[in-house]
Each structure stands twice: as structure tokens, then as C-alpha cells.
Amino acid sequence: MAQRARPRLVDVAQAAGVSIAAASRALSGAAGVSEEIAQRVREVAAELGYVANVHARTLAGGTSTGVGLLVHEIGDPYFTEIASGVLRVAAQRGLTVQIGHTGRDPDAELLQVRTLIANRVRAIVISGSGFVEARVQAPVKRELQEFQAAGGRVAVIGRHHLGTDAVLPDNLAGGRSITEHVLSLGHRRIAFAAGPVALTTVADRLAGAEEALRAAGSRLADLPVIEEAFTRDGGTRATLRILDEHPRTTAVIALNDDMAIGALAALRSRGVAVPREMSVAGFDDVAVAEHLSPALTTVRLPMTDMGEQALLLALKEPSARPRRRTTEHRLVVRDSTAAPRS
């Protein structure tokens, strides 16, 4: 017989008809709720058999020295640079950082969030794309709401539906800039090596590309958008598909630098010269981008700064509404793009 799940604070709040924060205050004896509401919450908690999380007071008192960082791909240089920013701020504040890897899997993300909470971190930074469909992250959102009600803090990097403080990369404008650049060179037979369009990062970068294409009298729907894993291997597979299925393509725009590195590898394996026979562009400007051969044309995001800003947000006192920090972007033109051969 399956064991009955232990009641959580969110269950008490829902049954009592109050917010999670109000339920937390009522059960801890904190000010901010009426005695009538506090009594109702206590009665509901007793009926459900709710037992308060043992480390809630530790979180609320700010005595925990651990913070958590969740990344999608631990080997992706994008996340390495974000992690360096988080680690820098943590070191300045005397905090330790636990890093978890989710692989862009919402179930793995949920498990990692629960693990960090069980390890009594005081704050969690979730780095990487959210999902276009809000329901995909609904279980994570509930866990984080309860964590915050117990005194924990959360910030995310990227567009999410989690209702927390966020650092928002300039993905839409960056997608527009890199596509405008490729168009300005004279390319019209463009293909996109994209991660899953279910990710908000991919959707936003493609939306920017769509704006640039429409301004040039074209449409994204008329061009190949090849969905593969948002990784180096995914970039290799996407580019091989482009070569096989769309042989007249003259430029590949990869929606992150990891995919662009994979694209360069695929073209090299097929003996396609870059940029003489095929231009390649990326997105993010990871540290290795300028050292590739040829050096990669890309969009620069301030990744280390994004990591710093996210943890700083997570360490602030909570605000009435989620705070937003937006970044800038910069087009960096290098040797991997050129005009198409006539």
C-alpha cells in the first residue's frame, strides 16, 4: 500500500483559504494575521497532521550559509560563466554554493529544488530557460512558494513562470541583432539551429529573428528551423540535417554558442569552409568564442554579471512584487560570417 504523502504548508494554506505566507505566520505565531485566521489555520494543520519543516526557523533567521544554483548543462560555458558570478558574490558574503544539474528536464528540476531545500540552503538561483507552457513548472512553483513562505529566497535567470525575482537576458533584441547582421551580408537562404521551442529562451530568440526577417520582407516560417538538443551535440546534428535537407543554405544561425561550436564541427567534418561556403553565427559570446577557428560571430550577454545580479536579488529582503533586472546585449562580429558567394 502506497504511503500517504506528508501534508505540506501549501496544503494547509489551501484548506484554510489563506495565502502560504499567512499560513506560515499563523503557525509560527508571527504578527500580520488576525487571531481568528491564526486559529483556523492551526485547526486545519492539526486536522491534516501537518508538521512544520524543521529548518524553517533557520531560513527565516538567515543563519543558513548555503545557497543553491541550478543550471541546465553543467558543461555548457554559458552556465560556467553564470556560475562564476554566483560564486564571486557568495565568496564575498561568506556563503557556500551547491550546484545542481537539471538537463532541461522539469522533473529533474523539481527533484533538485527539493534536494536543495532539504539541504537547508537559504537561497536558490535557477539559471537557464523557463518553459513556454506555465503548467510544466507548476510543481516547482509550488515548492518554491512554500520555501519562500518558510523564509527562503529565490531568483531566476531567464523568462520563467515562477513568480520570483528575475534577471532577464536580452534574448528578443539579441535574436533580432544577429539575424539583421546575417541579412545585411546578403544572406537569404538562412537556417536556424535551435534548441526546443518549448524553452522560453529559444522562443524569444526566434521571435527576435522573426522581427528582423519581416523587416527584410521574409518570414521565419519560410526558413528551416531545426530543433535539436540545446547543446554542442545538438548543434552538430542540426547542422548535418541542414546540409542534407537544405543543401542551398548559405548561413546557419545557432541559438546558443554551444550549438554554434557543434555546427562548426559538423561543417568541418563535411569539408565545408567557414565562412567562404557557409557562414555561422551564435549567441551568448562564451569565453571560448573568440578563440575558435574561425572566431565566432555572436551576441554578447553579460553572463558573469547575470550570475552576480541573480544571487544579489536572492539575498535581498522580499518585496511586494517580483523584481526584474534586464540586461543589454552587443553584437560581436568576428570571422565566421561573410557575404555569400555569388
Side-chain angles (χ1 to χ4, degrees):
M1 182 175 177
Q3 187 176 9
R4 184 180 177 185
R6 180 174 61 86
R8 301 175 303 163
L9 181 61
V10 64
D11 301 317
V12 175
Q14 290 174 350
V18 299
S19 69
I20 295 176
S24 177
R25 288 193 293 269
L27 292 173
S28 66
V33 295
S34 69
E35 179 54 34
E36 179 183 357
I37 291 176
Q39 180 62 29
R40 182 165 79 248
V41 171
R42 288 193 292 268
E43 290 174 354
V44 168
E47 291 172 4
L48 294 178
Y50 171 76
V51 178
N53 196 329
V54 295
H55 71 277
R57 287 190 176 88
T58 298
L59 292 173
T63 57
S64 171
T65 59
V67 297
L69 170 64
L70 296 186
V71 300
H72 283 332
E73 294 289 340
I74 198 71
D76 186 334
Y78 174 84
F79 294 109
T80 302
E81 295 188 34
I82 285 175
S84 71
V86 172
L87 289 166
R88 182 181 302 172
V89 171
Q92 293 169 351
R93 303 295 181 91
L95 303 172
T96 58
V97 180
Q98 300 178 47
I99 301 178
H101 170 97
T102 68
R104 299 185 177 88
D105 179 345
D107 292 332
E109 183 177 67
L110 178 61
L111 176 61
Q112 291 289 342
V113 165
R114 287 174 171 168
T115 299
L116 289 172
I117 293 172
N119 288 340
R120 304 186 181 185
V121 296
R122 68 186 294 180
I124 297 173
V125 173
I126 297 179
S127 170
S129 179
F131 295 85
V132 173
E133 292 287 338
R135 60 178 176 78
V136 174
Q137 285 186 299
V140 170
K141 183 176 182 178
R142 288 192 293 270
E143 290 287 338
L144 294 176
Q145 285 177 331
E146 186 166 345
F147 173 64
Q148 290 176 102
R153 295 288 298 119
V154 181
V156 299
I157 299 173
R159 183 163 68 86
H160 290 254
H161 299 283
L162 298 176
T164 67
D165 292 345
V167 176
L168 300 174
D170 203 4
N171 285 322
L172 190 146
R176 182 171 61 242
S177 292
I178 196 68
T179 307
E180 287 173 344
H181 165 70
V182 172
L183 288 167
S184 73
L185 294 173
H187 293 278
R188 293 300 179 269
R189 296 192 296 274
I190 302 169
F192 292 84
V197 296
L199 299 175
T200 57
T201 295
V202 174
D204 292 347
R205 293 178 183 184
L206 285 175
E210 175 74 36
E211 290 184 2
L213 289 166
R214 286 190 176 275
S218 183
R219 298 188 310 158
L220 186 65
D222 297 329
L223 299 175
V225 177
I226 309 300
E227 287 186 63
E228 287 285 353
F230 213 24
T231 62
R232 194 167 304 183
D233 287 344
T236 297
R237 290 193 297 271
T239 304
L240 292 175
R241 287 178 56 189
I242 290 166
L243 293 173
D244 293 339
E245 300 168 17
H246 308 279
R248 298 180 69 240
T249 298
T250 62
V252 173
I253 297 177
L255 293 189
N256 72 6
D257 284 350
D258 219 24
M259 293 195 84
I261 293 170
L264 291 173
L267 294 169
R268 186 165 54 249
S269 73
R270 292 286 183 91
V272 178
V274 178
R276 186 168 61 87
E277 297 175 280
M278 182 83 76
S279 285
V280 175
F283 202 116
D284 294 331
D285 197 28
V286 298
V288 72
E290 64 179 316
H291 303 294
L292 298 171
S293 181
L296 184 64
T297 293
T298 186
V299 171
R300 177 174 296 168
L301 292 177
M303 293 165 289
T304 300
D305 182 66
M306 286 156 48
E308 292 179 352
Q309 291 300 316
L311 183 52
L312 288 172
L313 277 175
L315 295 176
K316 287 179 178 290
E317 289 297 317
S319 62
R321 294 183 179 181
R323 291 168 287 226
R324 298 288 183 265
R325 300 285 187 272
T326 57
T327 74
E328 297 180 347
H329 78 279
R330 184 162 73 87
L331 176 68
V332 181
V333 179
R334 298 195 180 102
D335 299 333
S336 66
T337 52
R341 291 193 300 179
S342 57

